[in-house]
């Protein structure tokens, strides 16, 4: 028996490592859905919006956000809760609206779009908001954005090129122009099923009430 | 305490220490494979290290090599406990290679990236501890299993 014991111990540890690694992987893998092209909100490359959640959800929550704006950062945390709470009943759309008063907001939007060109917009969106307090105060913000891209697993050369490229710039600008045409001047500005959210309702209870009302309205039709 | 018993204790401690390194490396590998960034929360240095080009070799996270290395150490230490003479040689060679790799990664963090990641420092400490245990091994041959 003693002869086989080391084999048994090593096998048990190998299985435990593989098992715990697999469980961790399942828990941490990104839950971003890939949205078919025909489900995109806008048309054309520069108009395509970033959508997370069920493409056929009855409620669409559209946000015009600035990655450096602190209320947007706080809203991003709440948004995560909302997505879990409403699951397949709500889809989230993000549009860039970098405010000129924020030094790195435009570059952050470009970083998110550059990540989006590799299919990882939401991962970059999440890390930019989560680490907002850190990169907002950093002079060499580009270096940090590149390290975020590296951790997400992006092709760094492509990411660097895309951040300086026309496509990302055009996407950010298209979102901004769209926002300006709607009269947006603050962030986050929210729309629920294309209806602007009253600023007085821009709080957790107000947003939930509006989503519930939109859901009720949809179920009646 | 006999020399043989002392060696056995060192092998057991090495096996236990390697499990801590294995857990750390497994966590980092999963983090790299999923693109999860939560573990670095609030630490730009951690992002700089784990998001750098030095964190991958041919697209493979270096932490994955760490998993392999720590698992090998655990395996060889376990077999050494049970008296497999060759396991001791492999254990020393593996830990020696890990020690050199750790020196390289510390150099990268200190002089090339100017940033340290806590998970990497934990792994470095684990490897140094393993190297210390190997150095403490009394010379001579282990009793072989027939």
């Amino acid at each position: 028996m003693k002869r086989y014991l080391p084999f048994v111990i090593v096998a048990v540890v190998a299985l435990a490592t593989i098992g715990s690694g697999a469980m961790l992987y399942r828990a941490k893998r990104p839950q971003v859905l890939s949205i078919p092209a025909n489900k995109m909100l806008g048309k054309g490359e520069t108009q395509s919006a970033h959508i997370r959640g069920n493409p056929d959800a009855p409620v669409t929550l559209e946000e015009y956000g600035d990655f450096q704006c602190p209320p947007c950062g706080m809203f991003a945390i709440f948004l995560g809760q909302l997505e879990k709470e409403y699951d397949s009943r709500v889809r989230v759309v993000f549009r860039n609206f970098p405010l000129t008063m924020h030094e790195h907001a435009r570059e952050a939007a470009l970083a998110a779009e550059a990540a989006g060109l590799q299919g990882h917009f939401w991962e970059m969106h999440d890390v930019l908001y989560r680490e907002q307090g850190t990169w907002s105060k950093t002079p060499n913000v580009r270096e940090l954005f590149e390290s975020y891209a590296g951790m997400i697993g992006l092709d760094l050369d492509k990411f660097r090129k895309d951040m300086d490229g026309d496509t990302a710039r055009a996407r950010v600008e298209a979102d901004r122009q769209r926002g300006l045409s709607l009269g947006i001047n603050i962030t986050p500005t929210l729309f629920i099923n294309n209806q602007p959210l009253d600023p007085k309702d821009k709080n957790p209870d107000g947003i939930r009430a509006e989503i519930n009302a939109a859901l009720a309205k949809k179920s009646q039709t | 305490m006999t020399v043989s018993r002392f060696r056995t204790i060192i092998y057991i401690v090495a096996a236990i220490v390697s499990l801590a390194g294995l857990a750390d490396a497994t966590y980092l590998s999963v983090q790299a494979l999923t693109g999860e960034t939560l573990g670095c929360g609030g630490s730009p240095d951690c992002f700089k290290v784990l998001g750098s080009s030095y964190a991958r070799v041919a697209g493979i996270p270096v932490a994955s090599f760490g998993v392999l290395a720590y698992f090998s150490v655990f395996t060889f230490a376990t077999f050494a406990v049970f008296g497999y003479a060759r396991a001791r040689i492999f254990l020393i060679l593996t830990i020696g290679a890990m020690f050199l790799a750790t020196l390289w990664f510390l150099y990268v963090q200190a002089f090339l990236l100017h940033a340290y990641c806590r998970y990497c420092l934990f792994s470095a400490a684990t490897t140094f501890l393993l190297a210390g245990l190997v150095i403490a091994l009394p010379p001579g041959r282990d009793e072989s299993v027939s």
Side-chain angles (χ1 to χ4, degrees):
Chain A
M1 178 61 197
K2 196 182 169 189
R3 192 181 173 86
Y4 297 108
L5 196 55
F7 291 95
V8 172
I9 293 170
V10 168
V12 166
V13 167
L15 288 174
T17 305
I18 293 167
S20 56
M23 279 167 64
L24 202 59
Y25 182 82
R26 282 171 68 93
K28 284 181 174 285
R29 73 181 161 182
Q31 298 292 322
V32 179
L33 292 172
S34 62
I35 308 299
N38 61 356
K39 298 287 185 188
M40 298 296 238
L41 287 188
K43 288 189 171 28
E45 198 175 49
T46 60
Q47 290 284 316
S48 57
H50 300 288
I51 307 170
R52 178 151 71 181
N54 174 16
D56 298 317
V59 173
T60 300
L61 175 64
E62 190 171 2
E63 177 195 0
Y64 281 80
D66 169 330
F67 287 109
Q68 201 175 347
C69 114
C72 298
M74 287 164 67
F75 177 70
I77 298 168
F78 173 62
L79 193 60
Q81 294 168 9
L82 270 186
E83 286 174 288
K84 281 186 192 138
E85 213 172 303
Y86 287 93
D87 195 24
S88 62
R89 292 176 295 162
V90 171
R91 65 174 180 170
V92 175
V93 176
F94 183 87
R95 294 190 186 276
N96 292 291
F97 199 78
L99 300 172
T100 48
M101 63 194 246
H102 291 140
E103 191 186 355
H104 303 308
R106 192 174 164 74
E107 211 163 348
L110 290 172
E113 289 300 335
L117 290 171
Q118 293 187 48
H120 292 277
F121 172 84
W122 288 102
E123 288 90 333
M124 185 59 90
H125 165 280
D126 292 348
V127 74
L128 284 172
Y129 273 136
R130 202 171 53 235
E131 300 299 318
Q132 186 192 64
T134 304
W135 60 260
S136 294
K137 294 176 234 149
T138 306
N140 188 5
V141 77
R142 184 73 179 249
E143 189 189 15
L144 260 184
F145 291 164
E146 285 176 10
S147 58
Y148 297 160
M151 267 199 86
I152 292 167
L154 302 185
D155 174 339
L156 279 180
D157 287 336
K158 180 167 164 47
F159 177 78
R160 287 188 193 108
K161 274 184 204 151
D162 286 340
M163 260 196 85
D164 295 325
D166 292 337
T167 309
R169 199 176 313 132
R171 285 187 173 192
V172 172
E173 196 47 36
D175 278 358
R176 218 177 78 81
Q177 288 305 325
R178 190 184 164 106
L180 288 172
S181 72
L182 293 168
I184 290 170
N185 53 15
I186 54 164
T187 56
T189 293
L190 305 174
F191 293 82
I192 292 176
N193 283 353
N194 294 320
Q195 295 302 310
L197 191 76
D198 195 312
K200 74 172 169 50
D201 292 326
K202 219 159 54 177
N203 56 67
D205 289 341
I207 293 169
R208 280 195 187 96
E210 288 297 319
I211 291 174
N212 291 338
L215 281 169
K217 199 173 166 186
K218 277 278 176 180
S219 63
Q220 284 168 5
T221 54
Chain B
M1 186 189 292
T2 63
V3 170
S4 170
R5 189 166 173 77
F6 182 61
R7 274 201 201 108
T8 304
I9 289 170
I10 286 185
Y11 293 142
I12 290 170
V13 173
I16 293 168
V17 169
S18 70
L19 286 180
L22 184 62
D24 182 49
T26 304
Y27 177 74
L28 278 181
S29 298
V30 172
Q31 188 163 278
L33 291 171
T34 56
E36 167 65 51
T37 53
L38 205 59
C40 268
S43 167
D45 279 8
C46 172
F47 279 107
K48 278 183 195 168
V49 176
L50 298 181
S52 75
S53 54
Y54 298 99
R56 283 173 191 264
V57 174
I60 301 167
V62 289
S64 310
F65 297 108
V67 172
L68 207 62
Y70 284 115
F71 182 71
S72 302
V73 169
F74 177 80
T75 303
F76 298 139
T78 304
F79 277 88
V81 169
F82 286 87
Y84 285 79
R86 281 190 189 165
R88 174 196 164 104
I89 312 282
F90 288 126
L91 181 69
I92 293 169
L93 288 175
T94 307
I95 292 176
M98 288 165 72
F99 184 77
L100 293 177
T102 298
L103 290 182
W104 162 249
F105 288 123
L106 285 177
Y107 168 80
V108 167
Q109 290 177 80
F111 299 106
L112 301 180
L113 299 172
H114 306 289
Y116 292 95
C117 122
R118 54 181 180 253
Y119 302 104
C120 313
L121 292 180
F122 178 78
S123 182
T126 308
T127 300
F128 285 148
L129 188 56
L130 288 171
L133 289 169
V134 160
I135 291 165
L137 267 178
R141 292 172 67 87
D142 290 339
E143 287 164 25
S144 246
V145 169
S146 57

